[in-house]
Amino acid sequence: MDLPDLPVRTIVATPARAGRRVGRLLRMLAAGCLTAVLLGAVPLANWAASDDRLAELSSVQQVTTALKNATESLGLAEPYVWIRRQARALQHLRFGPPEDQQ
Amino acid sequence: MLFPTTAFLIFFVAVTIGLATLQRSYEAQKIWLVAASYFFYAQWNWRFCFLLAFSSTVTYIAGLALERVRTQRSRKRVVAATVTVHLLTLGFFKYFDFFVESGNGLLRALGVPEALPFIEVILPVGISFFTFHGISYVVDVYRGDVAVCRRLTDMLLYLAFFPQLVAGPIVRAAKFLPQLYRRPERDFGLAWPLALIVGGLFKKVVMANFLATGLVDPIFDDPIHYGTPDLLLGIYGYAVQIYCDFSAYTDIAIGIAALLGFEFPPNFNQPYRASSLRDFWRRWHISLSSWLRDYLYKPLGGSRGGALFTARNLMVTMLLGGIWHGAAWKFVFWGVLHGLGLGVERILFGRGHAEPRGWAKGVSTIVVFHFVCFGWLFFRADSFDTAWLYLQMMAQGSPSLVQATPFTIGLIVLGMALQFAPPDMHRRVAAWVLAWPEWALGAASGTLVLAIDAVGPDGVAPFIYFQF
């Protein structure tokens, strides 16, 4: 039951000077944190509060209502439930949960 | 303090600054790492730091005692006493309530009204892992596989080193302690550890978390309201979730340790592409399965006897492996299931059977994956009864599909695709950026981490293996 020879064992490993390694690590961390802070501070459009959202929600609503009517007229309730869940999941993914669920 | 949080990032930056300040003395750096690891552990419950220190001290003293006592009988006694202390500690914190509950159930069934005293024992995070570290050290010293650790600082760091403290991988003393005796001489660079960390964050924050909240948790919480397709996808979803969750933790742990210059053993190797159960256990939680092999299966006799004798040993090993995961009958069943599977495989195909090829390999892979999924159903369900209800609902054959979405199904497909991707994917990714300067690697990692955070659902669920 020998363990497989995994690539993680053979990853490039070179003789190192500890000071150099920690110095590089610190510089990398500084650059990473600075990037995250700068990008996090960029004012991106708030989709959830924009008019586009209302428009899109409205169109999603129209489509799902039309599908609901169509499927119910065929006597099919289940596919509507599925479609409605897809629409909600789509809205949730794009805009986050509705305010009453936050 | 979870890995994918800002708190951990701040902690890690502070640890690195401390190491940079103390780089003239490796001893001082180790003391700093011990302090940092205990601070990390105290974020869950500071009282259990004393338990961790107790386990480390007992292990350290046992090592020294093994060196001093002369007779084989005395050496055995030292090992037995130390293993007993470790197992009693683990048993009390992890299994006391389970045994009291089961004992009370038995008493009630026998018509005895007296109930055993019930204490709500809090489970210390990571106790199973640091206990196994302690046991492996003492047994290895006894067997002569590892030199006695003479510095208490080294032992404290071996059991408490923060990347592996709460959920492994289980690092053998023979692999880790020599790295403490001399300053790490190997440099893994920044690219490969960062590829592991960023990849791990994606698997945990995006894949595991979305699968948990969007598919697995709702279905397992209330299986009675779902049809067969949803229930089936719920199990597949959990198979991918637990893989992404646990392998993410170990990838991040290996990456963090490598950034600090330490080498951890691998813990996963695309487990769902296994074509036999034996193969699966060589790929899943490798550090635990190899621990069980070396400290339980082989001492029991291993495969030195006939097929039935081997099957018995496999059953005992997997049963205890199941109980290691938690104090519940569902884990007992899960362990027995895998023990039975391994035993039957051994009896049918014999020792060291050849790997199937061609279409037979494909069929075997599918059969093994579904066997493992069947086990995951019991592993994930709240109780044995819930798992049974889940199966009954699946058998009813209702065709409704209301919970799974194209997105969650896509995550399952992606999780399975990872099993068949090149096994050295992280190394290949690292090779692309190997020549980048550190500021460019930092900026790229910062951007990716921010993107992962933006894409993932709100909040970070604890890693599944924290409970073990």
Side-chain angles (χ1 to χ4, degrees), chain B residues 15-69:
Chain B
V15 169
T16 312
I17 292 171
L19 289 175
T21 313
L22 301 167
Q23 61 183 282
R24 282 177 184 277
S25 161
Y26 189 40
E27 288 308 312
Q29 283 188 325
K30 285 190 289 186
I31 292 169
W32 171 247
L33 283 177
V34 171
S37 298
Y38 273 76
F39 174 81
F40 177 78
Y41 195 55
Q43 300 309 302
W44 277 278
N45 191 329
W46 61 268
R47 292 169 188 85
F48 291 133
C49 287
F50 295 105
L51 180 69
L52 182 56
F54 169 75
S55 274
S56 308
T57 311
V58 166
T59 309
Y60 172 72
I61 293 169
L64 294 178
L66 278 172
E67 195 177 39
R68 293 196 178 184
V69 295

Side-chain angles (χ1 to χ4, degrees), chain B residues 156-436:
Chain B
L156 290 171
L157 189 54
Y158 170 51
L159 260 72
F161 189 37
F162 69 87
Q164 46 82 10
L165 173 57
V166 289
I170 300 166
V171 189
R172 300 290 180 84
K175 287 277 177 200
F176 190 72
L177 285 175
Q179 300 182 54
L180 298 181
Y181 299 151
R182 277 192 306 179
R183 196 190 286 271
E185 288 177 348
R186 296 211 288 173
D187 185 2
F188 298 98
L190 296 175
W192 174 65
L194 285 176
L196 280 171
I197 292 169
V198 173
L201 285 174
F202 179 77
K203 281 195 286 187
K204 168 62 183 167
V205 176
V206 179
M207 295 182 70
N209 280 1
F210 265 126
L211 277 171
T213 54
L215 181 70
V216 177
D217 290 352
I219 291 177
F220 272 87
D221 285 349
D222 205 7
I224 204 162
H225 290 116
Y226 294 96
T228 304
D230 266 332
L231 293 166
L232 195 60
L233 285 167
I235 299 176
Y236 290 154
Y238 184 66
V240 173
Q241 184 206 338
I242 192 170
Y243 167 73
C244 286
D245 191 287
F246 193 20
S247 71
Y249 182 89
T250 45
D251 282 354
I252 297 170
I254 292 169
I256 288 169
L259 284 178
L260 298 175
F262 294 96
E263 186 185 7
F264 278 1
N267 215 17
F268 288 89
N269 182 23
Q270 301 177 311
Y272 296 143
R273 70 184 298 171
S275 54
S276 65
L277 270 182
R278 185 164 158 256
D279 189 20
F280 174 78
W281 281 105
R282 286 175 169 182
R283 295 168 175 271
W284 178 271
H285 203 172
I286 298 165
S287 64
L288 174 69
S289 53
S290 58
W291 193 100
L292 291 171
R293 176 197 65 196
D294 292 345
Y295 300 102
L296 192 59
Y297 175 71
K298 283 185 178 173
L300 282 171
S303 55
R304 288 197 291 270
L308 279 176
F309 178 74
T310 306
R312 185 208 71 167
N313 294 339
L314 286 167
M315 173 61 81
V316 173
T317 305
M318 294 313 296
L319 171 65
L320 292 173
I323 294 172
W324 176 88
H325 282 86
W329 288 109
K330 61 176 189 165
F331 292 122
V332 173
F333 180 80
W334 179 79
V336 167
L337 187 73
H338 275 274
L340 268 177
L342 285 164
V344 167
E345 212 173 70
R346 175 74 171 82
I347 291 167
L348 287 180
F349 302 113
R351 186 180 179 185
H353 60 272
E355 286 279 307
R357 287 171 184 270
W359 65 269
K361 184 170 186 177
V363 172
S364 304
T365 304
I366 292 169
V367 170
V368 169
F369 174 67
H370 283 84
F371 182 91
V372 170
C373 282
F374 181 67
W376 287 144
L377 165 62
F378 289 87
F379 195 92
R380 168 60 181 83
D382 294 338
S383 65
F384 197 85
D385 291 340
T386 311
W388 185 240
L389 178 69
Y390 199 108
L391 283 173
Q392 285 177 314
M393 296 308 299
M394 271 183 80
Q396 283 189 359
S398 161
S400 88
L401 182 69
V402 293
Q403 190 63 40
T405 63
F407 178 66
T408 48
I409 293 171
L411 288 177
I412 295 173
V413 172
L414 178 60
M416 292 309 293
L418 287 177
Q419 311 298 316
F420 298 93
D424 57 349
M425 204 165 52
H426 291 112
R427 191 163 64 93
R428 289 182 186 210
V429 172
W432 291 342
V433 295
L434 206 58
W436 287 19

